[in-house]
Amino acid sequence: MAQIPEVKFEELNKLVKYLDFFQRLDAMSNEEKTRYILECKEIQEFRKELYNTAFLIVFDWKSWLNQNEMYKNIANDIEEHVMNADLETLQKLMTSYIRGDRFTEGLFEGVIINGHVTKIITRLRELTRC
């Protein structure tokens, strides 16, 4: 199994800076969010930053999702799991969402709309404060 490269603190903070944006987005209705997401440059910038910071990792994300059923259905409430997750789990979860979006169009939009991305960044902020 490949070793997961360490992400620098400064790189993680680049992602945490998007938390305010995603929290404002969460305050919108689902219909407003859906319309906004389709035109939103911040989301595209965030996706680029995930790659630029090396937050996304290479691993067998499909097998990982099968072993971590609670994350498989994006309608599940994963807040408790995410708020107790370590950095590697957050990386795997976000990577699974990004990679999965290639096979299931709209998956990443779905996890934004239901607040999963906000929860991941919130936990990331907590980890960077330690």
Side-chain angles (χ1 to χ4, degrees):
M1 182 170 181
Q3 186 175 1
I4 295 173
E6 186 175 324
V7 181
K8 294 184 171 115
F9 179 79
E10 299 82 28
E11 300 297 304
L12 294 176
N13 277 326
K14 290 178 183 178
L15 298 174
V16 171
K17 289 180 183 177
Y18 285 89
L19 182 58
D20 288 338
F21 165 77
F22 282 103
Q23 287 174 330
R24 286 192 313 272
L25 194 60
D26 285 351
M28 297 178 179
S29 72
N30 283 351
E31 186 178 315
E32 289 174 314
K33 278 188 241 187
T34 301
R35 274 196 313 264
Y36 185 71
I37 285 171
L38 297 175
E39 302 168 356
C40 183
K41 69 178 174 81
E42 289 91 346
I43 292 172
Q44 294 307 314
E45 291 170 1
F46 177 72
R47 285 181 78 137
K48 286 179 189 173
E49 204 65 63
L50 287 169
Y51 287 100
N52 293 341
T53 59
F55 190 76
L56 302 179
I57 56 177
V58 176
F59 77 109
D60 185 354
W61 60 273
K62 289 181 183 178
S63 294
W64 183 80
L65 281 177
N66 286 331
Q67 294 169 359
N68 294 276
E69 285 285 326
M70 73 289 249
Y71 300 128
K72 204 169 184 180
N73 181 343
I74 67 168
N76 287 344
D77 180 4
I78 61 168
E79 184 168 11
E80 184 178 339
H81 295 285
V82 170
M83 297 317 285
N84 292 306
D86 60 10
L87 179 59
E88 182 180 333
T89 301
L90 297 177
Q91 288 177 278
K92 287 181 174 182
L93 185 55
M94 188 66 78
T95 300
S96 297
Y97 290 151
I98 295 293
R99 300 285 185 259
D101 192 62
R102 291 181 179 176
F103 298 98
T104 306
E105 187 177 341
L107 175 71
F108 191 62
E109 290 174 9
V111 296
I112 292 170
I113 290 169
N114 68 17
H116 288 359
V117 172
T118 305
K119 291 174 180 80
I120 292 169
I121 300 171
T122 300
R123 177 61 178 156
L124 191 56
R125 181 184 63 188
E126 289 178 6
L127 292 174
T128 60
R129 290 183 174 175
C130 296

